[in-house]
């Protein structure tokens, strides 16, 4: 019931303009065991490179364990603990054999504030902090990254959002004050399957403006079409269809309308779930 995390500011509009716009070929198959373990196998082909991974997800009471093994012999383990201390969530991740990529994050939720802190599990780690104040309707917050090796702030960002049942507006000042981004999304139906959004970004150091409009339209209960276009002439489209219950086929393409001789990006993904 609180304002949400700082990462939630502007997220709805961002997701509509970026999520499902893929440029690779992906197949994922999920199954569930009798013990409650969710198993997912994924194969991805991007360009001439093919990769894959197998993941296992298990939830017991307030504990969530996620283990993923990829074709590069990397093992990523994520442990999520909820309400060890009331109103908190703790997330620990560790990757083998690259131990230096480990990370420990703690999130605290209050009716009028949220606070997160994340520390890399290595010598001279970077520390990420964020705080958000407000309500589910109005929120303002900031985040920063501090590099202990150099004793310097490497990132600081501030944002504000106003959320209503059918719309959300947000303004984010990022890149150490070099960019400002304003976005707005409006949902046209109660299921929030049909929506329109707009986003404008201004980079002060280069005097560059980028304006993007996009939207999604529910053709029927099983099919959604997405489109986006920016002022640089980049056009993207997505067709997503539920082929069987819970299983999605996604087809995506993006191309430059000002350079039609260039090969457009094309992606397809099939996610099969029981």
């Amino acid at each position: 019931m609180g304002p949400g995390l700082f990462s939630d500011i502007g997220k709805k509009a961002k997701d509509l303009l970026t999520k499902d716009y893929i440029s690779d070929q992906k197949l994922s198959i999920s199954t569930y065991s009798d013990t409650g373990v969710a198993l997912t196998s994924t194969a991805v082909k991007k360009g001439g490179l093919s990769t894959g991974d197998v993941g296992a997800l298990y939830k017991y009471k307030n504990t969530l364990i996620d283990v993923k093994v990829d074709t590069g012999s990397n093992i990523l383990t994520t442990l999520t603990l909820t309400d060890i201390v009331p109103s908190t969530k703790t997330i620990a991740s560790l990757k083998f054999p690259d131990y230096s990529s480990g990370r420990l994050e703690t999130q605290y939720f209050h009716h009028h504030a949220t606070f997160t802190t994340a520390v890399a599990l290595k010598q001279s780690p970077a520390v990420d902090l964020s705080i958000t104040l407000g309500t589910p309707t109005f929120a303002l917050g900031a985040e920063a990254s501090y590099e202990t090796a150099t004793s310097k702030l490497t990132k600081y960002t501030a944002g504000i959002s106003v959320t209503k049942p059918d719309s959300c507006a947000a303004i984010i000042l990022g890149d150490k004050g070099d960019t400002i981004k304003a976005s707005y999304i409006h949902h046209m139906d109660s299921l929030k399957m049909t929506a329109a959004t707009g986003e404008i970004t201004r980079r002060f150091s280069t005097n560059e403006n980028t304006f993007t409009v996009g939207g999604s339209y529910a053709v029927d209960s099983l099919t959604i079409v997405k489109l986006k276009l920016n002022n640089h002439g980049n056009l993207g489209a997505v067709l997503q269809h539920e082929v069987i219950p819970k299983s999605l086929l996604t087809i995506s393409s993006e191309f430059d309308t000002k350079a039609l001789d260039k090969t457009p990006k094309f992606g397809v993904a099939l996610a099969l779930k029981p």
Side-chain angles (χ1 to χ4, degrees):
M1 298 299 294
L5 299 174
F6 179 81
S7 58
D8 294 331
I9 296 179
K11 185 177 185 298
K12 294 179 180 178
K14 180 182 179 181
D15 284 350
L16 187 55
L17 293 174
T18 59
K19 190 177 180 180
D20 300 319
Y21 287 93
I22 55 178
S23 59
D24 49 23
Q25 290 77 54
K26 181 177 181 180
L27 172 65
S28 64
I29 302 174
S30 300
T31 59
Y32 297 90
S33 69
D34 296 335
T35 58
V37 178
L39 300 173
T40 301
S41 299
T42 303
V44 179
K45 182 178 181 181
K46 188 168 186 178
L49 181 64
S50 296
T51 59
D53 61 65
V54 177
L57 184 68
Y58 179 70
K59 184 176 182 180
Y60 178 74
K61 294 183 178 180
N62 64 339
T63 303
L64 187 67
I65 303 173
D66 187 0
V67 180
K68 185 177 294 184
V69 182
D70 63 26
T71 52
S73 300
N74 297 303
I75 303 174
L76 175 63
T77 303
T78 303
L79 177 66
T80 304
L81 302 172
T82 304
D83 288 332
I84 298 181
V85 177
S87 302
T88 65
K89 178 184 288 187
T90 301
I91 305 170
S93 62
L94 192 62
K95 187 175 182 179
F96 302 95
D98 183 15
Y99 300 98
S100 62
S101 62
R103 180 180 171 93
L104 179 64
E105 179 178 354
T106 300
Q107 302 172 351
Y108 173 73
F109 300 88
H110 186 269
H111 291 300
H112 298 293
T114 61
F115 175 78
T116 69
T117 177
V119 181
L121 301 179
K122 63 179 182 179
Q123 198 172 24
S124 301
V127 180
D128 298 329
L129 301 171
S130 74
I131 186 170
T132 309
L133 305 174
T135 66
T137 302
F138 175 81
L140 59 89
E143 69 173 357
S145 294
Y146 178 77
E147 191 68 49
T148 58
T150 60
S151 301
K152 291 183 179 179
L153 284 175
T154 56
K155 181 181 75 172
Y156 42 87
T157 307
I160 184 172
S161 69
V162 178
T163 304
K164 295 183 178 180
D166 60 352
S167 63
C168 182
I171 298 176
I172 298 175
L173 182 66
D175 295 327
K176 298 182 179 180
D178 187 44
T179 62
I180 185 168
K181 179 187 295 183
S183 63
Y184 176 78
I185 182 172
H186 188 85
H187 298 282
M188 309 297 184
D189 61 343
S190 58
L191 297 178
K192 298 185 178 181
M193 296 178 66
T194 299
T197 187
E199 178 185 271
I200 184 168
T201 303
R202 167 77 172 180
R203 183 172 293 276
F204 298 108
S205 60
T206 60
N207 291 324
E208 180 184 4
N209 296 318
T210 300
F211 180 66
T212 308
V213 293
S216 63
Y217 174 71
V219 179
D220 53 42
S221 60
L222 302 177
T223 309
I224 294 179
V225 175
K226 296 182 181 181
L227 290 171
K228 68 175 180 179
L229 175 68
N230 66 19
N231 60 312
H232 301 300
N234 297 317
L235 176 66
V238 172
L239 173 65
Q240 192 169 72
H241 179 70
E242 189 175 3
V243 289
I244 56 176
K246 300 181 181 179
S247 297
L248 295 176
L249 172 65
T250 303
I251 301 173
S252 173
S253 181
E254 293 186 59
F255 64 94
D256 188 348
T257 59
K258 297 181 180 180
L260 297 178
D261 56 319
K262 292 184 178 180
T263 303
K265 296 179 181 178
F266 178 78
V268 59
L270 178 61
L272 300 176
K273 297 182 179 180

